[in-house]
Amino acid sequence: MKKCDNWRFDTLAVHAAQQPDAVTGAVSQPVIPAVAYAFPDAEAAAQVVAGNREGTYYGRYGNPTVQTLERKLALLEGGEDCIGLSSGMAAISSALLAFAQAGDHVIVTKDVYGGTYNFVTQLAPRFGIAHSFVDCSSLEAVRQAIRPNTKAIFVETPSNPLLTVLDLRGLAEVAKASQLPLIVDSTFMTPCLQKPLELGAAVVVHSATKYINGHGDVLAGFVVGSRNVIGYIRSRIAGDLGQNLNAWEAFLILRGMKTLGLRVRTHCSSAQRVAEFLDGHPLIRQVYYPGLPSHPQHELAKGQMKGMGGIVSFEVDGGLEAGKQLMNRLQMAMISFSLGDPETLVQHPATMTHAAIPAEERLQFGITDGLIRLSIGLEDAEDIIADLEQALCEVHHAAEKEGEVHERPVYQA
Ligand SMILES: Cc1ncc(COP(=O)(O)O)c(C=O)c1O
């Protein structure tokens, strides 16, 4: 294995855990789709199954191509071990199930991804796992929410879709004081921008469907943590539930990861420009982006993130209707669910990603009807801004025609 002690992120993203194939010399990772693996003798088989010897034995419990990717992710996150899974939701559910069982309780930050909300409110209770949604931007609120049967604190930072930044160092201290694991969904950041384990978290989860793969053509997730936790997830949760990642998708992610740093830096710089553009626009009521000095956790974000990410959320004047009109008038950005892709994607959380959350609760979380989330792509930032500008201009003119614009905005186009 190559020495990589002093390598920086971009070098690790290319080289970590990878070397030319021992048989063919192939530089890129060979895809090994085999499900079953042969052993020289019965003892060797028993040793591998027992985990006392390196190796793979059956596709549901591990695969050589996936293993390369798992080692790379563990190195990039600074974790002991990692497991690659079939989706971000497989990673989130298995990380929570690794710590909680019937009779237990978990604390979950209040504005989480809709799928996490569904898991915690719909499926986990069927297994006897209770939850509290807590405003985790208040460490005191987290302390207060800890019960004798609490088994984990789960947060997402920055959050989807409001970009709330949570104090990971502070949360890790609160968790440690009660001997609880802090589980962090770091999907929006990737290890390029945020290292929750270095800040004191016990476990990191990712939807690799987003920036880590980065090309919108793979569903995948990762859990990074201690050998014990990952071993348990591999043998008892992912293995038994069949949440494994397959070799071809691992290959695509390995390929995508070689440009992770390059891509993420472009996403960040373009998102900053888009956020500044929207922030200064008279038709925009509010912009949510941690890179704006007006963001409530701007200073905290600078202290724990190397970049502010590629997601910008905002509210247009005129609420839901104006928001929909704006989305419909975009010519380049596509109305779509995912994020972290090369294409700029736009979506309406209240009716799309967070539609399953009852309106009252959603509004309590701050996800209003007029909120729009943009995933800034890799196109030229000028073109992304021009697209938004023409759509905003159209919305304004349409509202003027309807007589809905009472106060003429400063904006003229
Ligand atoms: C922050 C976050 N976590 C987890 C997920 C779930 O990932 P997947 O769709 O790969 O299951 C998403 C999906 O959008 C997400 O945005």
Side-chain angles (χ1 to χ4, degrees):
M1 204 49 77
K2 292 171 192 164
K3 282 207 157 118
C4 57
D5 295 352
N6 301 319
W7 284 347
R8 291 167 183 81
F9 187 86
D10 285 350
T11 316
L12 285 172
V14 174
H15 289 283
Q18 284 186 263
Q19 53 200 336
D21 180 53
V23 178
T24 62
V27 171
S28 72
Q29 179 68 33
V31 181
I32 302 173
V35 171
Y37 297 82
F39 297 94
D41 49 54
E43 288 70 30
Q47 293 278 317
V48 171
V49 172
N52 300 328
R53 182 171 160 164
E54 283 256 326
T56 37
Y57 60 98
Y58 188 70
R60 202 157 15 86
Y61 298 97
N63 165 282
T65 313
V66 177
Q67 244 169 29
T68 302
L69 177 57
E70 292 169 340
R71 290 193 186 119
K72 191 187 279 280
L73 243 296
L75 277 162
L76 290 175
E77 279 290 0
E80 257 180 26
D81 205 353
C82 167
I83 182 164
L85 298 166
S86 55
S87 68
M89 280 317 301
I92 289 165
S93 54
S94 61
L96 282 166
L97 291 174
F99 294 99
Q101 59 182 5
D104 292 340
H105 165 257
V106 291
I107 290 174
V108 181
T109 192
K110 69 180 172 65
D111 54 332
V112 271
Y113 168 63
T116 310
Y117 175 92
N118 286 347
F119 173 73
V120 165
T121 58
Q122 306 295 319
L123 195 58
R126 296 187 63 187
F127 293 91
I129 300 167
H131 64 275
S132 303
F133 286 115
V134 176
D135 176 0
C136 291
S137 60
S138 158
L139 298 182
E140 194 42 42
V142 179
R143 269 187 215 104
Q144 298 282 332
I146 296 173
R147 302 179 188 168
N149 62 339
T150 302
K151 290 291 156 55
I153 301 174
F154 182 96
V155 298
E156 186 181 299
T157 180
S159 68
N160 183 1
L162 285 170
L163 287 309
T164 309
V165 178
L166 300 175
D167 174 6
L168 288 178
R169 288 185 186 89
L171 284 165
E173 272 174 33
V174 171
K176 274 183 192 146
S178 296
Q179 294 174 330
L180 294 173
L182 174 66
I183 306 171
V184 180
D185 181 341
S186 198
T187 296
F188 276 25
M189 292 280 94
T190 82
C192 180
L193 301 179
Q194 177 170 275
K195 300 270 187 75
L197 300 178
E198 284 177 7
L199 302 173
V203 172
V204 180
V205 295
H206 284 287
S207 165
T209 312
K210 314 295 188 272
Y211 297 100
I212 289 183
N213 175 58
H215 291 76
D217 46 16
V218 167
L219 268 169
F222 291 98
V223 187
V224 187
S226 70
R227 239 168 240 121
N228 274 349
V229 170
I230 302 303
Y232 181 74
I233 292 175
R234 193 181 296 284
S235 58
R236 286 281 66 83
I237 302 175
D240 291 352
L241 293 180
Q243 296 173 312
N244 54 288
L245 183 62
N246 71 53
W248 174 246
E249 296 192 326
F251 166 78
L252 288 173
I253 299 170
L254 281 164
R255 188 168 72 161
M257 283 186 68
K258 295 195 186 204
T259 54
L260 181 59
L262 280 171
R263 288 187 284 105
V264 164
R265 284 191 293 277
T266 302
H267 285 297
C268 289
S269 65
S270 297
Q272 181 74 34
R273 288 183 58 189
V274 170
E276 285 167 9
F277 161 75
L278 291 170
D279 202 32
H281 199 287
L283 288 187
I284 302 297
R285 202 174 276 175
Q286 183 150 9
V287 181
Y288 301 86
Y289 186 64
L292 292 177
S294 56
H295 186 281
Q297 295 100 28
H298 179 60
E299 290 305 317
L300 172 65
K302 285 199 287 185
Q304 71 181 26
M305 293 148 54
K306 280 201 187 132
M308 301 298 160
I311 306 296
V312 180
S313 294
F314 61 97
E315 280 178 58
V316 202
D317 238 0
L320 175 62
E321 215 25 63
K324 275 192 188 160
Q325 283 187 32
L326 175 75
M327 285 174 43
N328 290 341
R329 286 178 160 89
L330 287 165
Q331 290 173 357
M332 183 182 69
M334 287 181 259
I335 301 174
S336 177
F337 272 80
S338 202
L339 58 98
D341 290 357
E343 297 83 10
T344 294
L345 305 175
V346 62
Q347 70 105 4
H348 178 236
T351 57
M352 293 172 69
T353 48
H354 293 67
I357 307 181
E360 205 177 296
E361 216 166 324
R362 176 168 56 68
L363 290 170
Q364 267 173 22
F365 292 170
I367 304 169
T368 59
D369 286 346
L371 188 75
I372 291 178
R373 188 191 75 190
L374 270 177
S375 168
I376 304 301
L378 297 175
E379 306 95 340
D380 192 304
E382 291 290 330
D383 292 329
I384 302 171
I385 291 170
D387 193 23
L388 284 163
E389 191 160 27
Q390 65 77 26
L392 280 162
C393 184
E394 292 254 322
V395 170
H396 175 64
H397 290 323
E400 250 186 348
K401 263 195 211 148
E402 299 273 318
E404 281 173 15
V405 174
H406 307 299
E407 223 175 88
R408 191 168 178 80
V410 188
Y411 175 70
Q412 306 271 349

